[in-house]
Amino acid sequence: LINYFSQNNLWLDIKNVFIYPSVSHWRPLHNLYFLISENLFGRFYPGYHFFTLIIHITSAFMIFKVLRLLTKNVNASLLGTIVYALHPSHFVSIFWISGSATTIGFLFLISSFYLYLKDKKSWALVLFVLSFLASEAMVSGAGILISYEILIKRKKMERLLLLKVIAISLGFLFLRFLFLTSDTTFITYPFEISTQTVAAIR
């Protein structure tokens, strides 16, 4: 990934970041991470880990700000932040350089939710879309936003915003998996429905 997105030819590097994928998933912001990191750190790999750790710490800070808005309690917000920051489920995304897509995507997603809570809906939608460009897993953010609207706001639900979020998410998934997924991905992760399995279950 480092070689592919940083070949000392800026035009080729930028082209590889944004075009149809041939060696990886279509994740422009994650690919851009490799372009920037390679130019900053070269083959000094601890630099990549440090960069990812900074992103993770920034996400934890945003978690604190979101929890502070939701709970109005500094201690509860700090506890939630510590749980997030130290949770072992982040092992792959922090310690495996090529797994940093989730870390990058989540920073955009949690920042989007924070702006949404601050009633800056347009910017929240922009960051929501950018989170997809780092990792398609961030589509789960639509579920978080919809749940918040239904469970917390209830009668004050912003239906237009929800429709935009749903349309953006479904539109992205349609484009991503039908037109922006490399053949290598389908070969590596085959999807099969077996009639034998269904028969065995019955």
Side-chain angles (χ1 to χ4, degrees), residues 55-66 81 84 110:
I55 294 170
H56 180 69
I57 290 170
T58 306
S59 294
F61 175 69
M62 292 307 300
I63 286 278
F64 176 79
K65 291 176 76 68
V66 166
T81 301
Y84 168 80
I110 193 63

Side-chain angles (χ1 to χ4, degrees), residues 21-75:
S22 59
V23 300
S24 179
H25 302 288
W26 187 77
R27 296 170 177 167
L29 288 183
H30 187 224
N31 300 340
L32 191 62
Y33 157 85
F34 288 106
L35 191 159
I36 294 170
S37 297
E38 202 282 335
N39 283 284
L40 286 174
F41 308 118
R43 292 300 186 271
F44 180 67
Y45 300 115
Y48 293 79
H49 292 293
F50 177 74
F51 196 4
T52 304
L53 186 60
I54 291 298
I55 294 170
H56 180 69
I57 290 170
T58 306
S59 294
F61 175 69
M62 292 307 300
I63 286 278
F64 176 79
K65 291 176 76 68
V66 166
L67 291 176
R68 183 80 185 273
L69 283 175
L70 293 174
T71 66
K72 313 296 184 189
N73 186 310
V74 175
N75 292 331

Side-chain angles (χ1 to χ4, degrees), residues 38-195:
E38 202 282 335
N39 283 284
L40 286 174
F41 308 118
R43 292 300 186 271
F44 180 67
Y45 300 115
Y48 293 79
H49 292 293
F50 177 74
F51 196 4
T52 304
L53 186 60
I54 291 298
I55 294 170
H56 180 69
I57 290 170
T58 306
S59 294
F61 175 69
M62 292 307 300
I63 286 278
F64 176 79
K65 291 176 76 68
V66 166
L67 291 176
R68 183 80 185 273
L69 283 175
L70 293 174
T71 66
K72 313 296 184 189
N73 186 310
V74 175
N75 292 331
S77 302
L78 187 59
L79 179 61
T81 301
I82 291 171
V83 169
Y84 168 80
L86 301 180
H87 200 279
S89 64
H90 300 299
F91 177 82
V92 171
S93 57
I94 293 177
F95 294 102
W96 188 20
I97 292 172
S98 61
S100 55
T102 308
T103 306
I104 298 167
F106 184 74
L107 176 58
F108 282 99
L109 182 62
I110 193 63
S111 299
S112 169
F113 191 59
Y114 174 74
L115 290 176
Y116 158 75
L117 293 175
K118 296 289 284 185
D119 207 32
K120 297 179 180 179
K121 305 296 192 301
S122 297
W123 283 109
L125 283 174
V126 170
L127 292 185
F128 184 62
V129 171
L130 289 177
S131 72
F132 296 171
L133 302 185
S135 171
E136 58 281 351
M138 296 305 114
V139 173
S140 60
I144 295 170
L145 187 58
I146 292 168
S147 298
Y148 178 81
E149 285 283 333
I150 293 172
L151 299 175
I152 306 297
K153 296 185 75 174
R154 296 181 183 176
K155 294 180 180 179
K156 297 180 180 179
M157 282 194 299
E158 298 189 40
R159 289 178 174 78
L160 181 59
L161 178 69
L162 288 179
L163 287 173
K164 288 179 180 178
V165 167
I166 292 168
I168 290 170
S169 302
L170 292 177
F172 170 78
L173 288 174
F174 179 79
L175 291 172
R176 169 68 174 79
F177 290 106
L178 290 184
F179 301 107
L180 294 169
T181 300
S182 65
D183 295 336
T184 308
T185 302
F186 288 117
I187 294 169
T188 307
Y189 307 103
F191 178 76
E192 296 178 0
I193 297 176
S194 171
T195 53

